[in-house]
Amino acid sequence: MEKALSASATQSRVRSIVFVAIAIALTAACAMVTVPLGPVPFTLQNFAISFIVLALKPKEAVAAIAGYLVLGAIGLPVFAGFSGGISCLLGPTGGFLWGYLLGGIVAAAIVAAGRKLSTAKAPAAGARWKQILRTASWEIVAMLVLICIIDFCGCLQYALLFSVDPLAAFLVCAAPFLVVDICKAIAAIVCAEAVRNAVSR
């Protein structure tokens, strides 16, 4: 019995490590999709971070985001435009990178709490869609919070570096991407649900 439990725990740890590694690779790949739009480029990193938060367990999601930032900080070209190094974290767009970690922590906690509450209040048979709707509602809230934190951190660092007021920083760094970021979040919710269903089978 103990051997079986130990083997199961080992398998679970290996599974988590693999998921984290795949998530880091996904984020790096999405960062390569870059369209220059002024001082802040358009990338798919937000989609990757949103997907990670929704698809993985909270600890796995945070580990993946932190691992991604560490790899970039030590110089690996995993940030937007095949860039890397600590200067990226301290530069004009570095606030968004810090926002990934802070926002990921908060959003993952919201998603976990929402799923726990949804499960505790599971509807009777035949009303499964109500449970799905409740879970999706929590996920939408988490994604909105994630976007707000990422944009706040990004605008704050940009404003401090260039000595501009918060509104000017928002208009340059966040406003042009809000609609697109919401679309990315919706796509992440759909993709994460599909992946979770496939993995759980």
Side-chain angles (χ1 to χ4, degrees), residues 72-73 79-80 82-95 97-98 157:
F79 295 150
F82 294 94
S83 60
I86 195 67
S87 61
C88 293
L89 294 171
L90 302 178
T93 59
L97 296 172
W98 294 115
Q157 185 158 320

Side-chain angles (χ1 to χ4, degrees), residues 10-110:
T10 300
Q11 184 179 12
S12 179
R13 284 194 295 270
V14 171
R15 181 187 177 99
S16 291
I17 292 172
V18 170
F19 283 166
V20 168
I22 292 174
I24 292 174
L26 173 65
T27 308
C30 287
M32 300 305 107
V33 181
T34 304
V35 178
L37 292 174
V40 180
F42 167 85
T43 73
L44 290 180
Q45 282 169 296
N46 277 30
F47 166 79
I49 298 300
S50 300
F51 174 80
I52 289 168
V53 168
L54 293 166
L56 302 184
K57 297 176 181 177
K59 289 183 179 179
E60 294 172 348
V62 174
I65 298 170
Y68 170 71
L69 295 180
V70 169
L71 291 178
I74 63 176
L76 294 183
V78 295
F79 295 150
F82 294 94
S83 60
I86 195 67
S87 61
C88 293
L89 294 171
L90 302 178
T93 59
F96 292 97
L97 296 172
W98 294 115
Y100 292 156
L101 182 58
L102 179 59
I105 292 171
V106 176
I110 293 173

Side-chain angles (χ1 to χ4, degrees), residues 172-183:
V172 171
C173 299
F177 307 100
L178 281 178
V179 174
V180 177
D181 285 342
I182 291 173
C183 291

Side-chain angles (χ1 to χ4, degrees), residues 66-150:
Y68 170 71
L69 295 180
V70 169
L71 291 178
I74 63 176
L76 294 183
V78 295
F79 295 150
F82 294 94
S83 60
I86 195 67
S87 61
C88 293
L89 294 171
L90 302 178
T93 59
F96 292 97
L97 296 172
W98 294 115
Y100 292 156
L101 182 58
L102 179 59
I105 292 171
V106 176
I110 293 173
V111 170
R115 288 174 183 162
K116 186 175 181 180
L117 290 174
S118 296
T119 302
K121 298 179 181 180
R128 170 72 175 166
W129 63 272
K130 291 184 179 180
Q131 182 179 354
I132 294 175
L133 183 60
R134 280 201 296 267
T135 301
S137 298
W138 279 95
E139 291 178 347
I140 291 171
V141 170
M143 292 300 96
L144 292 176
V145 170
L146 176 62
I147 291 171
C148 289
I149 293 176
I150 291 172

